[in-house]
Amino acid sequence: MNTIAPVFCTIVPPHVLDKLAQAEDPRLSGPARRTLEVDSAHRTRRRITGLRAVASPTAAATGNPHRTIHDCEHRTALPGKKVRGEGDEPGRDATVNRAYSGLGATFELLLSAYGRDSLDGAGLPLVASVHYDEGYANAFWDGDQMVFGDGDGEVFLDFTLPVDVIGHELSHGLTQYTANLDYQGQSGALNESVSDVFGSLVKQYTLDQTADRADWLIGAGLLAPGVSGEALRSMKAPGTAYDDDVLGKDPQPATMDDFVRTSQDNGGVHINSGIPNHAFYLLAVELGGKAWERAGQLWFDVLTGGELAADAQFTDFARLTVAAARARFGDGAELEAVTKAWSQVGVPTA
Amino acid sequence: MRIQVRRTGGFAGIERRAEIETSGLRDAGDWRELAERAMADGADTPSAGVPDGYHYVITFDDDRTVHCADPGLTDAQRALISRVLKEGA
Ligand SMILES: [Zn+2]
């Protein structure tokens, strides 16, 4: 798929080519711009020269991504043929290029906002496979890597299109290396919600959006033209993302009053995630500003803090976010906002 | 042979079902051969699967039920599932 010689002159540094490749796609020209704007001179220089990170005064803020993209060529053997490694210039396959830059955006959020060097905190290489199977309308994390299908073209488009979907899959890796929430019932819904939260934060970070400007959608741009819906999930208004003849209606609840009991989908992990998703949204909007800074920090603190049990329930997670708010910000607006957010979705914190 | 497929989970968490009655079809023999291979490798109980991976339940003649999940499908399971979802109703 990606064996054709790159159309761009290779004298231009790879990261610049990356931006050029992305610029054709309006959904990704934002991320490219964001990356260019926010990179400190130090880190930009590192990326251009491809040097390994040198220990800096803020020890946490080191590290470079180690990305590899594979092409399954519409078969199902993983990982498939390697088509792009770290620092390689983009090829003609937009799917490969999107996966590569989405991995980079997620890596960059973790590093710059939270000082975490990749998913495991120790520079874990990031691996993704694209063009999985024929018309495969899904993406998943297999425990070691991300896998993306092209979509069926009728209901779902290419799963690499929304950067929040890429961030979502990678965040399953982050959860696996930290709290390792059981993918079942409420802990499974928390696992899903953490992925939606950081997936959305990756998108907001790449667009440099404040909480009030963000769309808070998961999978915007993924539904084919003609499908009645704007995305797969809405953190702002769970249950309203789609209402379609083929897909049915978005089943997500926003509050505990509408918690769904089901044996399907590992106990409704993609359904009840709407409740903690909405709590995060309420917190972020109440605090204002960039959601990855304070609200995201609290969620990151809980996920990585070592106290969140693998079988945690919503109330366990909620209580830990309150404790994290107190520990990090004292008895301020953050504490009040996080307590209020959980209360609004019906999850007790006391 | 009546073959039912139920797919759950996935990134979207949207369930899909389809079934086909193969008796009388011109390629009923092919269906039976594929079904038997898919059945032989299926598990009796659901596995944990992977985050956002699909889970599949395949039922044959309302009698035998097997479970499988992405990405661990055998070729026969994958072929059967995609045929039923495509050609079934
Ligand atoms: Zn997920």
Side-chain angles (χ1 to χ4, degrees), chain B residues 7-88:
Chain B
R7 189 187 75 190
T8 62
F11 186 89
I14 296 169
E15 182 174 326
R16 245 195 101 185
R17 291 168 189 251
E19 64 174 78
I20 192 161
E21 176 53 69
T22 65
S23 318
L25 293 182
R26 187 179 307 218
D27 52 358
D30 293 345
W31 276 102
R32 173 165 293 280
E33 189 265 338
L34 184 59
E36 278 166 5
R37 281 197 290 135
M39 217 183 301
D41 300 318
D44 293 333
T45 54
S47 71
V50 300
D52 299 324
Y54 285 132
H55 289 256
Y56 306 91
V57 184
I58 317 172
T59 305
F60 305 91
D61 284 334
D62 294 318
D63 173 38
R64 175 87 202 280
T65 295
V66 300
H67 299 260
C68 49
D70 276 337
L73 303 189
T74 65
D75 290 344
Q77 288 166 350
R78 193 175 299 283
L80 181 70
I81 287 164
S82 73
R83 264 192 93 176
V84 173
L85 291 179
K86 196 178 293 174
E87 298 173 35

Coordinates of all heavy atoms in Angstrom, one line a residue, chain B residues 7-88:
Chain B
R7 N -23.3 -10.4 17.2 CA -22.0 -9.7 17.4 C -22.3 -8.6 18.5 O -23.2 -7.7 18.3 CB -21.5 -9.1 16.1 CG -20.1 -8.5 16.2 CD -19.7 -7.8 14.9 NE -20.4 -6.5 14.9 CZ -20.4 -5.7 13.8 NH1 -19.8 -6.1 12.7 NH2 -21.0 -4.5 13.8
T8 N -21.5 -8.5 19.5 CA -21.6 -7.5 20.5 C -20.3 -6.8 20.8 O -19.2 -7.3 20.3 CB -22.2 -8.0 21.9 OG1 -21.2 -9.0 22.4 CG2 -23.5 -8.7 21.7
G9 N -20.3 -5.8 21.6 CA -19.1 -5.0 21.9 C -18.6 -4.2 20.7 O -19.4 -3.7 19.9
G10 N -17.3 -4.1 20.6 CA -16.8 -3.2 19.5 C -16.7 -1.8 20.0 O -17.3 -1.4 21.0
F11 N -15.9 -0.9 19.3 CA -15.7 0.5 19.8 C -17.1 1.2 19.9 O -17.3 1.9 20.9 CB -14.9 1.2 18.7 CG -14.6 2.6 19.1 CD1 -13.4 2.9 19.8 CD2 -15.4 3.7 18.8 CE1 -13.1 4.1 20.2 CE2 -15.1 5.0 19.2 CZ -13.9 5.2 19.9
A12 N -18.0 0.9 19.1 CA -19.3 1.5 19.1 C -20.3 0.9 20.1 O -21.3 1.5 20.6 CB -20.0 1.5 17.7
G13 N -20.0 -0.4 20.5 CA -20.9 -1.1 21.4 C -22.3 -1.3 20.9 O -23.2 -1.5 21.6
I14 N -22.4 -1.4 19.6 CA -23.7 -1.6 18.9 C -23.8 -3.1 18.5 O -23.0 -3.7 17.8 CB -23.8 -0.7 17.7 CG1 -23.8 0.7 18.1 CG2 -25.1 -1.1 16.9 CD1 -23.7 1.7 17.0
E15 N -24.9 -3.7 19.0 CA -25.1 -5.1 18.7 C -25.6 -5.3 17.3 O -26.4 -4.5 16.7 CB -26.2 -5.7 19.7 CG -26.4 -7.1 19.5 CD -27.4 -7.7 20.6 OE1 -27.3 -7.2 21.8 OE2 -28.2 -8.6 20.3
R16 N -25.2 -6.4 16.7 CA -25.7 -6.8 15.3 C -26.1 -8.3 15.3 O -25.3 -9.1 15.9 CB -24.7 -6.6 14.3 CG -25.1 -5.5 13.3 CD -24.2 -5.5 12.0 NE -24.9 -6.1 10.9 CZ -24.3 -6.3 9.7 NH1 -23.1 -6.0 9.6 NH2 -25.0 -6.9 8.8
R17 N -27.2 -8.6 14.8 CA -27.6 -10.0 14.7 C -28.0 -10.3 13.2 O -28.5 -9.5 12.5 CB -28.9 -10.3 15.5 CG -28.8 -10.2 17.0 CD -30.2 -10.2 17.6 NE -30.2 -9.9 19.0 CZ -30.5 -10.8 19.9 NH1 -30.8 -12.0 19.5 NH2 -30.4 -10.5 21.2
A18 N -27.8 -11.6 12.8 CA -28.2 -12.0 11.5 C -28.4 -13.5 11.6 O -27.7 -14.2 12.4 CB -27.2 -11.6 10.4
E19 N -29.2 -14.1 10.7 CA -29.3 -15.5 10.7 C -29.6 -15.9 9.3 O -30.1 -15.2 8.4 CB -30.4 -16.0 11.6 CG -31.8 -15.6 11.3 CD -32.8 -16.3 12.3 OE1 -32.9 -15.8 13.4 OE2 -33.4 -17.2 11.9
I20 N -29.3 -17.2 9.0 CA -29.6 -17.7 7.7 C -30.0 -19.2 7.8 O -29.5 -19.9 8.6 CB -28.3 -17.6 6.7 CG1 -28.7 -17.9 5.3 CG2 -27.2 -18.5 7.2 CD1 -27.6 -17.3 4.3
E21 N -31.0 -19.6 7.0 CA -31.4 -21.0 6.9 C -30.8 -21.5 5.6 O -31.1 -21.0 4.5 CB -32.9 -21.1 6.8 CG -33.5 -22.5 6.6 CD -32.9 -23.5 7.7 OE1 -33.3 -23.3 8.8 OE2 -32.2 -24.3 7.3
T22 N -29.9 -22.4 5.8 CA -29.1 -22.9 4.6 C -29.8 -24.0 3.8 O -29.4 -24.3 2.7 CB -27.7 -23.3 5.0 OG1 -27.8 -24.5 5.8 CG2 -27.0 -22.2 5.7
S23 N -30.7 -24.7 4.5 CA -31.4 -25.8 3.8 C -32.0 -25.3 2.5 O -32.7 -24.3 2.5 CB -32.5 -26.4 4.7 OG -32.1 -26.5 6.0
G24 N -31.8 -26.1 1.5 CA -32.4 -25.7 0.2 C -31.5 -24.8 -0.6 O -31.8 -24.6 -1.8
L25 N -30.5 -24.2 0.0 CA -29.6 -23.3 -0.8 C -28.8 -24.2 -1.7 O -28.4 -25.3 -1.3 CB -28.8 -22.4 0.2 CG -29.4 -21.4 1.0 CD1 -28.4 -20.6 1.8 CD2 -30.3 -20.4 0.2
R26 N -28.4 -23.6 -2.8 CA -27.6 -24.3 -3.8 C -26.2 -24.7 -3.1 O -25.7 -25.8 -3.4 CB -27.3 -23.4 -5.0 CG -26.6 -24.1 -6.1 CD -26.5 -23.1 -7.2 NE -27.8 -22.5 -7.6 CZ -28.1 -22.2 -8.8 NH1 -27.3 -22.4 -9.8 NH2 -29.3 -21.6 -9.0
D27 N -25.7 -23.8 -2.2 CA -24.4 -24.1 -1.6 C -24.6 -24.6 -0.2 O -23.7 -24.3 0.7 CB -23.5 -22.9 -1.7 CG -24.1 -21.7 -1.2 OD1 -25.3 -21.7 -0.8 OD2 -23.5 -20.6 -1.2
A28 N -25.7 -25.3 0.1 CA -25.9 -25.8 1.5 C -24.7 -26.6 2.0 O -24.4 -26.6 3.2 CB -27.2 -26.5 1.5
G29 N -24.2 -27.4 1.1 CA -23.0 -28.2 1.5 C -21.8 -27.4 1.9 O -21.2 -27.8 2.9
D30 N -21.6 -26.3 1.2 CA -20.4 -25.5 1.6 C -20.7 -24.8 3.0 O -19.8 -24.7 3.8 CB -20.3 -24.3 0.6 CG -19.8 -24.8 -0.8 OD1 -19.4 -26.0 -0.8 OD2 -19.9 -24.1 -1.8
W31 N -21.9 -24.4 3.2 CA -22.3 -23.8 4.4 C -22.1 -24.8 5.6 O -21.5 -24.4 6.6 CB -23.8 -23.4 4.4 CG -24.1 -22.0 3.8 CD1 -24.6 -21.8 2.5 CD2 -23.9 -20.8 4.4 NE1 -24.7 -20.5 2.3 CE2 -24.3 -19.8 3.4 CE3 -23.4 -20.3 5.6 CZ2 -24.3 -18.4 3.7 CZ3 -23.4 -18.9 5.9 CH2 -23.8 -18.0 4.9
R32 N -22.5 -26.0 5.4 CA -22.4 -27.0 6.4 C -21.0 -27.3 6.8 O -20.6 -27.3 7.9 CB -23.1 -28.3 6.0 CG -22.9 -29.5 7.0 CD -23.9 -30.6 6.8 NE -25.3 -30.2 7.1 CZ -25.8 -30.2 8.3 NH1 -25.1 -30.5 9.3 NH2 -27.1 -29.8 8.5
E33 N -20.2 -27.4 5.7 CA -18.7 -27.7 5.9 C -18.1 -26.5 6.7 O -17.3 -26.7 7.6 CB -18.1 -27.9 4.6 CG -16.7 -28.4 4.6 CD -15.6 -27.3 4.5 OE1 -16.0 -26.2 4.0 OE2 -14.5 -27.6 4.9
L34 N -18.4 -25.3 6.3 CA -17.8 -24.1 7.0 C -18.3 -24.0 8.4 O -17.6 -23.8 9.3 CB -18.2 -22.8 6.2 CG -17.7 -21.5 6.7 CD1 -16.2 -21.5 6.6 CD2 -18.2 -20.4 5.8
A35 N -19.6 -24.3 8.6 CA -20.2 -24.3 10.0 C -19.5 -25.3 10.9 O -19.2 -25.0 12.0 CB -21.7 -24.5 9.9
E36 N -19.3 -26.5 10.3 CA -18.7 -27.5 11.2 C -17.2 -27.1 11.6 O -16.8 -27.4 12.7 CB -18.7 -28.8 10.5 CG -20.1 -29.5 10.7 CD -20.4 -30.6 9.8 OE1 -19.5 -31.0 9.0 OE2 -21.6 -31.1 9.8
R37 N -16.5 -26.5 10.6 CA -15.2 -26.1 11.0 C -15.2 -25.0 12.0 O -14.4 -24.9 13.0 CB -14.4 -25.6 9.7 CG -13.9 -26.8 8.9 CD -12.8 -26.3 7.9 NE -13.4 -25.5 6.9 CZ -12.9 -24.3 6.4 NH1 -11.7 -23.9 7.0 NH2 -13.4 -23.6 5.5
A38 N -16.1 -24.0 11.9 CA -16.2 -22.9 12.8 C -16.6 -23.4 14.2 O -16.1 -22.9 15.2 CB -17.2 -21.9 12.3
M39 N -17.5 -24.4 14.2 CA -18.0 -24.9 15.4 C -16.9 -25.7 16.2 O -16.8 -25.5 17.4 CB -19.1 -25.9 15.1 CG -20.3 -26.0 16.1 SD -21.5 -27.3 15.6 CE -22.0 -26.9 14.0
A40 N -16.1 -26.4 15.5 CA -15.1 -27.2 16.1 C -14.1 -26.4 16.9 O -13.6 -26.8 17.9 CB -14.3 -28.0 15.0
D41 N -13.8 -25.1 16.4 CA -12.8 -24.3 17.1 C -13.5 -23.3 18.1 O -12.8 -22.6 18.7 CB -12.0 -23.5 16.1 CG -11.3 -24.4 15.1 OD1 -10.8 -25.4 15.5 OD2 -11.3 -24.1 13.9
G42 N -14.8 -23.4 18.2 CA -15.4 -22.4 19.1 C -15.4 -22.8 20.6 O -15.2 -24.0 20.9
A43 N -15.5 -21.8 21.5 CA -15.5 -22.1 22.9 C -16.9 -22.2 23.4 O -17.8 -21.6 22.8 CB -14.7 -20.9 23.6
D44 N -17.1 -22.9 24.5 CA -18.4 -23.1 25.1 C -18.8 -21.9 25.9 O -20.0 -21.6 26.1 CB -18.4 -24.3 26.0 CG -18.3 -25.6 25.2 OD1 -18.6 -25.6 24.0 OD2 -17.7 -26.6 25.7
T45 N -17.9 -21.1 26.4 CA -18.2 -19.9 27.2 C -17.5 -18.7 26.6 O -16.5 -18.8 25.9 CB -17.7 -20.1 28.6 OG1 -16.4 -20.5 28.6 CG2 -18.5 -21.2 29.3
P46 N -18.0 -17.5 26.9 CA -17.4 -16.3 26.3 C -16.0 -16.1 27.0 O -15.8 -16.4 28.1 CB -18.4 -15.2 26.7 CG -19.5 -15.8 27.3 CD -19.2 -17.2 27.6
S47 N -15.1 -15.5 26.2 CA -13.8 -15.1 26.8 C -13.8 -13.6 27.1 O -14.8 -12.9 26.7 CB -12.7 -15.4 25.7 OG -12.8 -14.4 24.7
A48 N -12.8 -13.2 27.8 CA -12.8 -11.8 28.2 C -12.6 -10.9 27.0 O -13.1 -9.8 27.0 CB -11.7 -11.5 29.2
G49 N -12.0 -11.4 26.0 CA -11.7 -10.6 24.8 C -10.7 -9.5 25.1 O -10.0 -9.5 26.1
V50 N -10.7 -8.5 24.2 CA -9.8 -7.4 24.3 C -10.6 -6.1 24.3 O -11.7 -6.1 23.7 CB -8.7 -7.3 23.2 CG1 -7.9 -8.6 23.2 CG2 -9.4 -7.2 21.8
P51 N -10.1 -5.0 24.8 CA -10.8 -3.7 24.8 C -11.3 -3.3 23.4 O -10.4 -3.3 22.5 CB -9.9 -2.7 25.4 CG -9.0 -3.5 26.3 CD -8.8 -4.8 25.6
D52 N -12.6 -3.1 23.2 CA -13.2 -2.7 22.0 C -13.3 -3.8 20.9 O -13.7 -3.6 19.8 CB -12.5 -1.4 21.4 CG -12.6 -0.2 22.3 OD1 -13.7 -0.1 23.0 OD2 -11.7 0.5 22.3
G53 N -12.8 -5.0 21.3 CA -12.9 -6.1 20.3 C -14.3 -6.6 20.3 O -15.1 -6.5 21.3
Y54 N -14.7 -7.2 19.2 CA -16.0 -7.8 19.0 C -16.1 -9.1 19.7 O -15.1 -9.9 19.7 CB -16.4 -8.0 17.6 CG -16.8 -6.8 16.8 CD1 -16.2 -6.6 15.5 CD2 -17.7 -5.9 17.2 CE1 -16.5 -5.5 14.7 CE2 -18.1 -4.8 16.4 CZ -17.5 -4.6 15.2 OH -17.8 -3.5 14.4
H55 N -17.3 -9.4 20.3 CA -17.6 -10.8 20.7 C -18.6 -11.3 19.8 O -19.5 -10.6 19.4 CB -18.1 -10.7 22.2 CG -17.1 -10.4 23.2 ND1 -16.6 -11.3 24.0 CD2 -16.6 -9.2 23.5 CE1 -15.7 -10.7 24.8 NE2 -15.7 -9.4 24.5
Y56 N -18.5 -12.6 19.5 CA -19.5 -13.3 18.7 C -20.1 -14.5 19.3 O -19.3 -15.3 20.0 CB -18.8 -13.7 17.4 CG -18.1 -12.7 16.6 CD1 -16.7 -12.4 16.9 CD2 -18.7 -11.9 15.6 CE1 -16.0 -11.5 16.2 CE2 -18.0 -10.9 15.0 CZ -16.6 -10.7 15.2 OH -15.9 -9.7 14.5
V57 N -21.3 -14.7 19.1 CA -22.0 -15.9 19.6 C -22.6 -16.5 18.3 O -23.4 -15.9 17.6 CB -23.1 -15.6 20.6 CG1 -23.7 -16.9 21.1 CG2 -22.6 -14.8 21.8
I58 N -22.3 -17.8 18.0 CA -22.8 -18.4 16.8 C -23.7 -19.6 17.3 O -23.2 -20.4 18.1 CB -21.7 -18.9 15.9 CG1 -20.6 -17.9 15.7 CG2 -22.3 -19.3 14.5 CD1 -19.4 -18.4 15.0
T59 N -24.9 -19.7 16.9 CA -25.8 -20.8 17.2 C -26.2 -21.5 16.0 O -26.5 -21.0 15.0 CB -27.0 -20.2 18.0 OG1 -26.6 -19.4 19.1 CG2 -27.9 -21.3 18.5
F60 N -26.1 -22.9 16.1 CA -26.4 -23.8 15.0 C -27.7 -24.5 15.3 O -27.7 -25.3 16.4 CB -25.3 -24.7 14.8 CG -23.9 -24.0 14.5 CD1 -23.1 -23.8 15.6 CD2 -23.6 -23.6 13.3 CE1 -21.9 -23.1 15.4 CE2 -22.3 -23.0 13.1 CZ -21.5 -22.7 14.2
D61 N -28.7 -24.4 14.5 CA -30.0 -25.1 14.7 C -30.5 -25.0 16.1 O -31.1 -26.0 16.6 CB -29.8 -26.6 14.3 CG -29.7 -26.8 12.8 OD1 -30.2 -26.0 12.1 OD2 -29.0 -27.8 12.4
D62 N -30.4 -23.9 16.7 CA -30.9 -23.6 18.1 C -30.4 -24.6 19.1 O -31.0 -24.9 20.1 CB -32.4 -23.6 18.1 CG -33.0 -22.4 17.3 OD1 -32.4 -21.3 17.4 OD2 -34.0 -22.6 16.5
D63 N -29.3 -25.3 18.7 CA -28.9 -26.4 19.5 C -27.5 -26.2 20.1 O -27.3 -26.2 21.3 CB -28.9 -27.7 18.6 CG -28.3 -28.9 19.3 OD1 -28.6 -29.0 20.5 OD2 -27.6 -29.7 18.6
R64 N -26.5 -26.0 19.2 CA -25.2 -25.8 19.6 C -24.8 -24.4 19.6 O -25.0 -23.7 18.5 CB -24.3 -26.7 18.7 CG -22.8 -26.5 18.9 CD -22.3 -27.5 20.0 NE -21.0 -27.0 20.6 CZ -19.8 -27.2 20.0 NH1 -19.7 -27.8 18.9 NH2 -18.7 -26.7 20.6
T65 N -24.2 -23.8 20.6 CA -23.7 -22.4 20.7 C -22.2 -22.4 20.9 O -21.8 -23.0 21.9 CB -24.5 -21.6 21.7 OG1 -25.9 -21.6 21.4 CG2 -24.0 -20.2 21.9
V66 N -21.5 -21.6 20.1 CA -20.1 -21.4 20.4 C -19.8 -19.9 20.5 O -20.5 -19.0 19.9 CB -19.2 -22.0 19.3 CG1 -19.4 -23.5 19.3 CG2 -19.4 -21.4 18.0
H67 N -18.7 -19.6 21.2 CA -18.3 -18.2 21.4 C -16.9 -18.0 20.9 O -16.1 -18.9 20.9 CB -18.2 -17.9 22.9 CG -19.5 -18.0 23.6 ND1 -20.3 -16.9 23.9 CD2 -20.2 -19.1 24.1 CE1 -21.4 -17.4 24.6 NE2 -21.4 -18.7 24.7
C68 N -16.7 -16.8 20.3 CA -15.3 -16.4 19.9 C -15.2 -14.9 20.0 O -16.2 -14.2 20.1 CB -15.0 -17.0 18.5 SG -16.2 -16.7 17.3
A69 N -14.0 -14.4 19.9 CA -13.8 -12.9 20.0 C -12.6 -12.5 19.2 O -11.6 -13.2 19.1 CB -13.6 -12.6 21.5
D70 N -12.7 -11.3 18.7 CA -11.6 -10.7 18.0 C -10.4 -10.4 19.0 O -10.7 -10.1 20.1 CB -12.0 -9.3 17.4 CG -12.6 -9.5 16.0 OD1 -12.4 -10.5 15.4 OD2 -13.3 -8.6 15.6
P71 N -9.2 -10.5 18.6 CA -8.7 -10.9 17.2 C -8.4 -12.4 17.1 O -7.8 -12.8 16.2 CB -7.4 -10.1 17.1 CG -6.9 -10.0 18.5 CD -8.0 -10.1 19.4
G72 N -9.0 -13.2 18.0 CA -8.7 -14.6 18.0 C -9.5 -15.6 17.2 O -9.7 -16.7 17.5
L73 N -10.2 -15.1 16.2 CA -11.0 -15.9 15.3 C -10.2 -16.8 14.4 O -9.1 -16.4 13.9 CB -11.9 -15.1 14.4 CG -12.8 -14.1 15.1 CD1 -13.8 -13.5 14.0 CD2 -13.6 -14.7 16.2
T74 N -10.7 -18.0 14.2 CA -10.1 -18.9 13.2 C -10.6 -18.4 11.8 O -11.6 -17.7 11.8 CB -10.5 -20.4 13.4 OG1 -11.9 -20.5 13.2 CG2 -10.1 -20.9 14.8
D75 N -9.9 -18.8 10.8 CA -10.3 -18.4 9.4 C -11.7 -18.9 9.2 O -12.5 -18.1 8.6 CB -9.4 -19.0 8.4 CG -8.0 -18.4 8.4 OD1 -7.9 -17.3 9.0 OD2 -7.0 -19.0 7.9
A76 N -12.1 -20.1 9.6 CA -13.4 -20.6 9.4 C -14.5 -19.7 10.1 O -15.5 -19.4 9.6 CB -13.5 -22.0 9.8
Q77 N -14.2 -19.4 11.4 CA -15.1 -18.6 12.1 C -15.3 -17.2 11.5 O -16.4 -16.7 11.3 CB -14.6 -18.4 13.6 CG -14.7 -19.6 14.4 CD -13.9 -19.6 15.7 OE1 -13.1 -18.7 15.9 NE2 -14.2 -20.5 16.6
R78 N -14.2 -16.6 11.1 CA -14.3 -15.3 10.4 C -15.1 -15.3 9.1 O -15.9 -14.5 8.9 CB -12.9 -14.7 10.2 CG -12.8 -13.3 9.8 CD -11.4 -12.7 9.7 NE -10.6 -12.9 10.9 CZ -10.7 -12.1 11.9 NH1 -11.6 -11.1 11.9 NH2 -10.0 -12.3 13.0
A79 N -14.8 -16.4 8.3 CA -15.5 -16.5 7.1 C -17.0 -16.7 7.3 O -17.8 -16.1 6.6 CB -14.9 -17.7 6.3
L80 N -17.3 -17.6 8.2 CA -18.7 -17.9 8.5 C -19.5 -16.6 9.0 O -20.6 -16.3 8.6 CB -18.9 -19.0 9.6 CG -20.3 -19.4 9.9 CD1 -21.0 -20.1 8.7 CD2 -20.4 -20.3 11.1
I81 N -18.8 -16.0 10.0 CA -19.5 -14.8 10.6 C -19.7 -13.7 9.5 O -20.8 -13.1 9.4 CB -18.6 -14.2 11.7 CG1 -18.7 -15.1 12.9 CG2 -19.0 -12.8 12.1 CD1 -17.6 -14.9 14.0
S82 N -18.7 -13.5 8.7 CA -18.9 -12.4 7.7 C -19.9 -12.8 6.6 O -20.7 -12.0 6.2 CB -17.6 -12.0 7.1 OG -17.1 -12.9 6.2
R83 N -20.0 -14.1 6.3 CA -21.0 -14.5 5.3 C -22.4 -14.4 5.9 O -23.3 -13.9 5.2 CB -20.8 -16.0 5.0 CG -20.0 -16.2 3.7 CD -20.1 -17.6 3.2 NE -21.1 -17.8 2.2 CZ -21.3 -19.0 1.6 NH1 -20.5 -20.0 1.8 NH2 -22.3 -19.1 0.7
V84 N -22.6 -14.8 7.2 CA -23.9 -14.7 7.8 C -24.3 -13.2 7.9 O -25.5 -12.9 7.6 CB -24.0 -15.4 9.1 CG1 -25.3 -15.2 9.8 CG2 -23.8 -16.9 9.0
L85 N -23.4 -12.4 8.4 CA -23.7 -11.0 8.5 C -24.1 -10.3 7.2 O -24.9 -9.4 7.1 CB -22.6 -10.2 9.3 CG -22.4 -10.6 10.8 CD1 -21.2 -9.8 11.3 CD2 -23.7 -10.3 11.6
K86 N -23.4 -10.8 6.1 CA -23.6 -10.2 4.8 C -24.8 -10.8 4.1 O -25.7 -10.0 3.6 CB -22.4 -10.5 3.9 CG -22.3 -9.6 2.7 CD -21.0 -9.9 1.9 CE -19.7 -9.5 2.7 NZ -18.5 -9.8 2.0
E87 N -25.0 -12.1 4.2 CA -26.0 -12.8 3.4 C -27.3 -13.1 4.2 O -28.3 -13.3 3.6 CB -25.5 -14.1 2.7 CG -24.3 -13.8 1.8 CD -23.7 -15.1 1.3 OE1 -24.4 -16.1 1.1 OE2 -22.5 -15.1 1.1
G88 N -27.1 -13.1 5.5 CA -28.3 -13.4 6.3 C -29.2 -12.2 6.5 O -28.9 -11.1 6.0

